[in-house]
Amino acid sequence: MSELVTTEFVLFLYAAYFGIEIAFAYDLLRIFRRVVGHNRLAMAFEDFVYWLWVGVKAFLMLYEYHNGSLRFYTILGVCAGIFLYTVSVGALFVKYSSGLLNKTKQGAFKAAGKAGKKAERVLEKPRRAAVSKLYALRDLCGRKCRAVYRILKKKLTVLRKMIRILLYKH
């Protein structure tokens, strides 16, 4: 084969590799969206960043190898790479990777919930001791200290609720 045809074939293969690369990157984005919840604005921003990256990368490839001119076999190579990746491993990769990550996430939240319950049980004894001291303080002071007692009780209740929220938050 002539050197020109060989060069164009190598560039076709590079374009196919580029197609596989951008399809894989989009699959990573799809997995991320399945694992982490998104609203439309976040998805639009992610798509914008993705397509900006693809555009810059495609421009650099065309500029470096074709002196900026657009060739049909380059577009065909990119489309072939995307198609081959999608048909071969793309759908299975997204399905099983996102499923595995979701199960891992659920297991982590379950373990965190168990740890939170244990921490709450450990903190329950000092809380009861503090409340009993407050009752003793209230009985000791009588009516004069009831306002102080109420404030301290509210602060302890708020602190307990904040700890529970922090322990059970996911």
Side-chain angles (χ1 to χ4, degrees):
M1 287 195 294
S2 72
E3 185 179 325
L4 181 62
V5 174
T6 306
T7 303
E8 288 179 353
F9 182 70
V10 169
L11 292 176
F12 174 80
L13 291 178
Y14 182 71
Y17 172 75
F18 176 67
I20 291 171
E21 187 179 342
I22 63 174
F24 178 73
Y26 196 74
D27 278 351
L28 291 177
L29 185 61
R30 287 174 55 203
I31 291 168
F32 179 68
R33 288 178 178 171
R34 287 184 181 191
V35 173
V36 179
H38 285 72
N39 60 14
R40 289 185 183 201
L41 182 64
M43 288 173 59
F45 179 73
E46 290 167 357
D47 280 339
F48 174 75
V49 170
Y50 170 77
W51 286 111
L52 184 68
W53 172 76
V54 168
V56 168
K57 193 156 173 75
F59 174 77
L60 291 175
M61 180 188 72
L62 290 174
Y63 182 75
E64 184 177 341
Y65 295 110
H66 299 293
N67 294 328
S69 61
L70 188 60
R71 305 278 185 206
F72 179 71
Y73 64 87
T74 307
I75 295 171
L76 187 63
V78 171
C79 292
I82 292 171
F83 178 75
L84 287 174
Y85 173 79
T86 305
V87 168
S88 61
V89 293
L92 296 175
F93 176 68
V94 171
K95 179 180 178 183
Y96 291 115
S97 296
S98 61
L100 178 68
L101 288 174
N102 277 328
K103 285 186 180 186
T104 304
K105 182 177 78 169
Q106 289 171 355
F109 284 144
K110 191 174 184 180
K114 287 181 181 179
K117 287 180 182 178
K118 286 183 182 180
E120 186 177 354
R121 275 188 247 130
V122 167
L123 294 173
E124 183 66 21
K125 196 170 187 176
R127 186 192 70 83
R128 285 185 182 180
V131 168
S132 68
K133 298 293 183 196
L134 281 176
Y135 284 132
L137 178 69
R138 183 187 68 179
D139 292 341
L140 184 68
C141 293
R143 293 183 181 209
K144 295 178 183 176
C145 294
R146 285 187 192 250
V148 173
Y149 165 76
R150 285 186 191 129
I151 291 171
L152 287 175
K153 185 176 178 184
K154 284 181 185 178
K155 296 285 184 186
L156 277 175
T157 304
V158 168
L159 181 65
R160 185 177 127 243
K161 287 180 181 179
M162 287 175 54
I163 290 172
R164 288 187 77 184
I165 288 171
L166 287 173
L167 291 176
Y168 293 122
K169 187 177 184 181
H170 36 83

